[in-house]
Amino acid sequence: MDIRPKVLVTKIGLDGHDRGSRVVAAHLRDAGMEVVYTPPWQKIEAVVKLAMEEDVDVIGVSSLATDHLIVPKLMAALRDAGLTDVVVIVGGIVPDADEQALLDVGVARVFHPGSPLDEISAYITEATARVRAARFPA
Amino acid sequence: MKRDATAVGAHARPDVALRLAAIRAGERAAIARAITAIENDIASARALSAALAADAGRAHVVGVTGPPGAGKSTLINALLAEFAARGRRIAVVAIDPSSPITGGAVLGDRVRMHAAGAAESVFIRSLASRGHAGGLAKATRRIVDLLDAAGFDAIVVETVGAGQSDVGIAALADTSVVVCPPGLGDDVQAIKAGILEIADVLVVNKGDQPAADRTEQELRDMLRLRAHRPGWAVRVLRTVATTGDGVPALVDALDAHATDAGRGRRLARAPAPPAATAVESRLRGFCAADPYQRLNALEFVESGPGTVTMRMRVAPQHLNFNGKCHGGAIFTLADSAFGVAANAYGVVAAGIDTHTTFQVAVSEGDVLTARSLEVSRNAKIAVYRVDVTRGDGTVVASFTGTVFMTRRPHQARPDDLRP
Ligand SMILES: Nc1nc2c(ncn2[C@@H]2O[C@H](COP(=O)(O)OP(=O)(O)O)[C@@H](O)[C@H]2O)c(=O)[nH]1
Ligand SMILES: [Mg+2]
């Protein structure tokens, strides 16, 4: 099976700085992925509905201010909706003290400022292979 | 009673049976996962598609096409709100182009459907075209069948929006909506060239812009110039997708067309060709009545199911300034074998797209033979390939052509066309 990752790049919370998420979305597209990109200020329910309908492999949440503090709510909403097999990653400014809390609620990985874009796409490719193998066992 | 058939299958594939039940019950996650399986051609999806096929044909399939930026996605958002107000469950399939180089894509349509897309009664799925031609993704047809089986009242398909080549939607949709932005300029030509042929409803969107008046008038003029056809009269409507102005009238027009033309048209079998000898004599009649074929001294050789063979001896009148056979003459031969074959089904087949490559130069005295072959056909669109060969068997030109099958019978008898 030729695996082409399908990725949601989104921003939840109040911060409207979307340059980082735009750059990441464009990079993932150029890496051959199919990217659903949303503007900032998404509601949690909207993200869950979108992730479910689009059946994305990975959700990338960009957070430059305090948005990452809402990510646990997103994780709970995904779980409630039965979306337990989506890989969630967070990119942006996340204090070290908060990172462990995100990992504890099921975030797969946090990418800090300065992470090479190639590292992000390589991670998503690898994660997608795992997700698809579980979703569509041979 | 349909369920009995799947109950038998349930012993063999319990997983398939479970998923079938979930899809028929309209479970969002099950529908979404099945779409992924179909899109990626995963083996189990075939059994699923086969089992669901019997359920298809209830939903109204609405195609929305038109140039990029015309407002297709925004208009669909407004349509979703109006459909919801009328208590209907709607699925949207929105197709965006994949990069031909990296294969990647940004799927941006659903962001514009954000407002109405949040409703429980709405299901939106974005697809990348993955190099498939015709403005759709390869799996679109099977995905539409799945959504139909899932019980949505209407399925709205937004095409890539590449203009002229987005004709694939005509074969899929019950109702094709062509969205035109005001002040099209050259795009009007593109719309005229093929897209207009497939429109059941023409929408001038961005009706709030001053140029909308003129665009609407141009489209109405264009329609008036066309030969009258029996059946549905194409409607021209004005909308402002951003405010919803004109959208209730658009839904009324969609409903009227569904009533007039029916649902599930994609499932209709192509008409079976009539008896061979009767067809052949009719096709001979077409050729005899074709002034341009006579001008070029084309000769009808024979016909068979989906194929016509024609011949041309290259004479001085066919040469170009280099003393070789003019490409236009070779094209005329190929185009005639294509056009005549496509018109064998009792209705006017209108050519909407062709492509020709010339492999070998041809000289005076050569006898060229063009043989057309039907590559695919459904109720609305048929595709043909034509090889043009020289006496020694060398293929000198290769031609592909697409026709739109109108619902107009050939009006004049061939004999009446003779001058
Ligand atoms: N003024 C005005 N702008 C519109 C209207 N419909 C869409 N737009 C804008 O046109 C742009 C392209 O719309 P979109 O729906 O993405 O077009 P698509 O490429 O055909 O899907 C967006 O900025 C819309 O907000 C309309 O009726 N009036
Ligand atoms: Mg669009």
Side-chain angles (χ1 to χ4, degrees), chain B residues 316-340:
Chain B
Q317 73 193 78
H318 296 125
L319 302 185
N320 61 20
F321 55 81
N322 280 322
K324 292 293 182 185
C325 184
H326 197 291
I330 300 173
F331 174 84
T332 296
L333 178 66
D335 185 58
S336 299
F338 154 65
V340 173

Side-chain angles (χ1 to χ4, degrees), chain B residues 72-73 96 109 158:
Chain B
K72 298 181 291 298
S73 302
D96 272 307
D109 292 321
E158 176 178 343

Side-chain angles (χ1 to χ4, degrees), chain A residues 1-7 29 31-34 57 128 132, chain B residues 40 98-99 101-105 128 130:
Chain A
M1 184 183 29
D2 172 29
I3 296 178
R4 196 172 279 291
K6 187 158 182 179
V7 187
R29 176 201 59 203
M33 302 184 188
E34 294 175 353
D57 304 295
T128 299
R132 292 283 178 94
Chain B
N40 293 293
S98 300
S99 156
I101 296 159
T102 65
R130 297 188 178 176

Side-chain angles (χ1 to χ4, degrees), chain B residues 64-69 72 95-97 129 132-136 158-167 187 190-191 195:
Chain B
V64 178
T65 187
K72 298 181 291 298
I95 300 142
D96 272 307
S129 66
H132 191 65
L136 299 174
E158 176 178 343
T159 73
V160 167
Q164 196 171 342
S165 61
D166 273 17
V167 292
D187 286 350
I191 284 178
I195 286 284

Side-chain angles (χ1 to χ4, degrees), chain B residues 64-211:
Chain B
V64 178
T65 187
K72 298 181 291 298
S73 302
T74 313
L75 185 63
I76 291 172
N77 181 56
L79 275 173
L80 289 174
E82 180 61 24
F83 278 131
R86 299 188 188 196
R88 301 187 197 165
R89 289 179 65 228
I90 310 295
V92 177
V93 179
I95 300 142
D96 272 307
S98 300
S99 156
I101 296 159
T102 65
V106 170
L107 309 172
D109 292 321
R110 84 172 283 151
V111 169
R112 302 231 184 261
M113 304 170 196
H114 184 73
E120 278 301 305
S121 59
V122 173
F123 181 102
I124 301 175
R125 180 62 174 247
S126 317
L127 300 176
S129 66
R130 297 188 178 176
H132 191 65
L136 299 174
K138 181 164 169 254
T140 313
R141 160 73 198 268
R142 283 172 66 208
I143 291 169
V144 166
D145 285 347
L146 173 99
L147 293 167
D148 193 347
F152 289 97
D153 298 308
I155 301 159
V156 180
V157 180
E158 176 178 343
T159 73
V160 167
Q164 196 171 342
S165 61
D166 273 17
V167 292
I169 191 67
L172 181 68
D174 300 317
T175 305
S176 296
V177 177
V178 177
V179 184
C180 315
L184 279 166
D186 285 349
D187 286 350
V188 164
Q189 299 306 321
I191 284 178
K192 256 199 235 174
I195 286 284
L196 190 66
E197 281 295 325
I198 67 166
D200 300 308
V201 178
L202 276 163
V203 171
V204 179
N205 186 42
K206 307 195 183 183
D208 52 332
Q209 296 186 356

